[in-house]
Amino acid sequence: MGSGRDAGRQARGHGRPLSTAQLHVSAHPLVREKVTRLRDERTEPRTFRALVAEIATLLLYEATADLPMQETEVRTPLAAAKGVRLAEPLGLVPVLRAGIGMVEAALELMPDAQVWHIGLFRDERTLRPIEYYNKLPSEATVQVCLVLDPMLATGGSAVATIDILKRWGARRVKYVGIIAAPEGVRALSSAHPDVAIHVAALDERLDEKGYIVPGLGDAGDRQFGTG
Ligand code: PRP
Ligand code: URA
C-alpha cells in the first residue's frame, strides 16, 4: 500500500487480505478528525458539506503530489526567480450527485482545471450503476483526470466512470474519495490497476443493501438534505 495506514491489517473483507499498492489511506490527523465528524449522524447538511469540502482539499493535496511540472521563470520586484507550473491540463470529474461537494474545493486548488460531470446512480436492486448524464466533449481535452466521489462501495460507479474516461482518451486517472469499502477497492484495483485510489478511511464491509459499514450513510442525501 502507499502512504497512510496499513489497509492489509485493517480490512479483510471476505477473508481475503487487502493489499494494493494503489491504495492511499490518509493518516493525517486533520483528515481523521474531520471524517469522524462527517460520520456522526447528528451532523446536519450545512456542516456535512463544509466537511466534505475540507476533507477533499486535504486529500487532493496528497493525491496531486506527483503531478508533472515544467520549469518556468517569473520576475519578482527584485530579480528573476525560477519556478514551476503544472505540465499538463487537468480534468476534474465529479460523479453526480455526491461528487459535487468535492469539486469547488478542487477548483480552489486547481483553478485552471476543466470540470467534466458524469451522472450515475446505483440501481437499488442490482447495485449496478446507471449512467444518466455525461458532459464529456467528443475528444479528450485533458490527459490527467481526478475522479471525485465520496463513496467507494461496491466499486461499480467508480469502475464505470473510469471505463468512460479511458474510452474517451484520458491517459492518467486518479480516484479521490472519502470512505471506501474493501469490496470497492478490490473491484477498482482489479478493473483499473493503474489508477491510484486516495481516500480518508477504509471501512470494514458492505451491508446487505450495499452500504458501507460503519460508513456515513448516503453521501448525497446527507449533503443535500434529501434523506
Ligand atoms: C453513491 C456514491 C457513489 C456510489 C458508490 O451514489 O456517490 O457514486 O453511490 O456506490 P458503488 O461503489 O456501489 O457504485 P448514488 O448511487 O447513491 O447516487 P447519488 O450520489 O445521486 O445519491
Ligand atoms: N453510496 C453512499 O452514499 N453510501 C454508501 O454507504 C454506499 C453507497
Side-chain angles (χ1 to χ4, degrees):
M1 196 180 78
S3 63
R5 290 163 276 159
D6 183 345
R9 275 185 282 130
Q10 285 205 5
R12 298 177 185 278
H14 302 302
R16 204 149 47 95
L18 187 67
S19 80
T20 160
Q22 53 188 124
L23 176 63
H24 306 264
V25 184
S26 179
H28 199 293
L30 293 179
V31 172
R32 297 179 69 180
E33 188 272 340
K34 288 177 195 299
V35 170
T36 306
R37 285 195 282 144
L38 194 71
R39 292 185 193 275
D40 190 332
E41 63 182 1
R42 296 168 301 179
T43 299
E44 82 287 4
R46 181 193 178 103
T47 307
F48 192 94
R49 288 192 297 272
L51 288 166
V52 165
E54 290 164 17
I55 294 165
T57 301
L58 294 166
L59 293 179
L60 284 160
Y61 176 77
E62 294 178 352
T64 52
D66 63 351
L67 287 183
M69 293 173 289
Q70 266 174 2
E71 290 191 355
T72 186
E73 200 173 274
V74 292
R75 283 207 67 80
T76 77
L78 303 179
K82 289 194 191 310
V84 296
R85 61 169 173 240
L86 297 182
E88 293 172 353
L90 291 170
L92 304 174
V93 185
V95 180
L96 307 181
R97 294 169 298 166
I100 292 173
M102 300 172 75
V103 75
E104 277 302 321
L107 280 170
E108 286 289 323
L109 294 176
M110 295 161 274
D112 296 328
Q114 299 176 20
V115 181
W116 304 113
H117 297 83
I118 289 184
L120 299 171
F121 68 87
R122 294 197 309 178
D123 178 304
E124 284 189 11
R125 199 176 47 83
T126 64
L127 298 182
R128 295 302 305 154
I130 314 272
E131 184 182 343
Y132 63 89
Y133 189 75
N134 179 333
K135 199 60 186 165
L136 294 171
S138 52
E139 282 180 24
T141 47
V142 291
Q143 303 283 330
V144 184
C145 287
L146 300 170
V147 174
L148 307 174
D149 188 343
M151 307 304 273
L152 183 63
T154 65
S157 304
V159 170
T161 301
I162 295 166
D163 285 344
I164 293 167
L165 291 175
K166 286 190 175 171
R167 277 201 300 274
W168 179 60
R171 267 201 309 119
R172 210 166 149 224
V173 181
K174 288 169 181 261
Y175 174 91
V176 183
I178 294 183
I179 298 186
E183 292 87 338
V185 173
R186 272 195 200 92
L188 181 50
S189 55
S190 102
H192 295 292
D194 57 313
V195 171
I197 303 168
H198 291 264
V199 291
L202 178 66
D203 277 9
E204 288 162 23
R205 61 184 172 87
L206 296 179
D207 73 6
E208 62 290 349
K209 290 185 172 163
Y211 276 84
I212 302 175
V213 180
L216 49 73
D218 187 301
D221 284 345
R222 292 202 60 190
Q223 282 182 75
F224 302 116
T226 51

